Amino acid sequence: MPHHVAVLALDGVLPLDLGIPARVFNEACTPDGTRLYSVSTFSPGGRTVRTHEDFRILVDHDESVLETADTVVIATQEPSEHLLATGTLPAEVAAALDRIRPQTRIVSLCTSAFLLAAAGLLDGRRATTHWALCDTFARLFPAVEVDPDVLFVDNGRILTSAGGAAGIDTCLHLVRRDHGAAVAAAAARRCVSAPWREGGQAQFIEHLVPQDTDRSTSATRQWALEQLAEPITLEDMARHAHMSVRTFTRRFRSEAGSSPLKWLAQRRLAHARLLLESTDLTVARIATTCGFGDPVALRKHFHAHLGLSPVAYRRAHHAPEPTEVH
């Protein structure tokens, strides 16, 4: 059976964000084109929803969809004056959240993290929301550890994300978590979206499009991707870009939202995951191909970022078993 995703739409919902879960999850398919998720959009009582813009939306479902939902996504809506003043939920919204099953995964997009916090679901957890409201969020919910500098936070069962395109990143992250990097990358291609942005990437990038293309680090990033098997230092990258290390690091961070070496490690890990899922290469060969040098270093990165070994990751994602000893 497809994984059932229920998307909650409340008054004040942002239409673009409301469509993100269906857009991403409906593109996650098996090789024969079978959809891996089914998406239902609902509102309290199944009523028409007043959006943040100048139109309303008619939904086909009410809270009863929560009885079969494997994941619940709360679409972005501006926190109400009542919520901002009291930190409490309207009774109707609280009742809807109470119907979510204990094992169901819960995701908030952008400022809907306020709803999860008001319901007590984020107490003692790390969370994020739109950077412009992180200070307000922290004052209103001191029991939550607020991180304003990330795209999303994955706490296992509960995930929170930043604004706008970070909702796409979060949904693709879930597809990757559920079905692996190859399925997520294919879904991203069909959505014409970037296939990989780590949750820890900065929300706000100073220059999304480099102001001086002659001094951009984009060519060096492409060069590094083509040299993943080789040992690459920060000095090597700066030299390729014809910049000092200090200037290169500053420009790289403003364009990519991450330090050069952190970005490189993320790309190596992403490539290793893809090879584990889609090839029968040994762990040792994959470690070399992705620039980790040896299996020990690869295992350390997998344990640090994914909480399991490369062999366990391969087994969980149904890749062909390696035929060589590793």
Side-chain angles (χ1 to χ4, degrees), residues 143-167:
V144 183
E145 179 188 348
V146 186
D147 190 340
D149 299 321
V150 297
L151 295 178
F152 58 84
V153 175
D154 183 346
N155 284 305
R157 179 184 172 232
I158 298 178
L159 297 90
T160 54
S161 73

Side-chain angles (χ1 to χ4, degrees), residues 33-51:
T34 302
R35 285 183 174 177
L36 294 166
Y37 299 86
S38 64
V39 183
S40 304
T41 304
F42 75 101
S43 66
R47 293 192 300 273
T48 299
V49 178
R50 175 181 50 79
T51 75

Side-chain angles (χ1 to χ4, degrees), residues 13-16 48-57:
V13 68
L14 272 66
L16 174 62
T48 299
V49 178
R50 175 181 50 79
T51 75
H52 183 265
E53 311 306 334
D54 63 342
F55 58 90
R56 296 172 182 266
I57 293 175

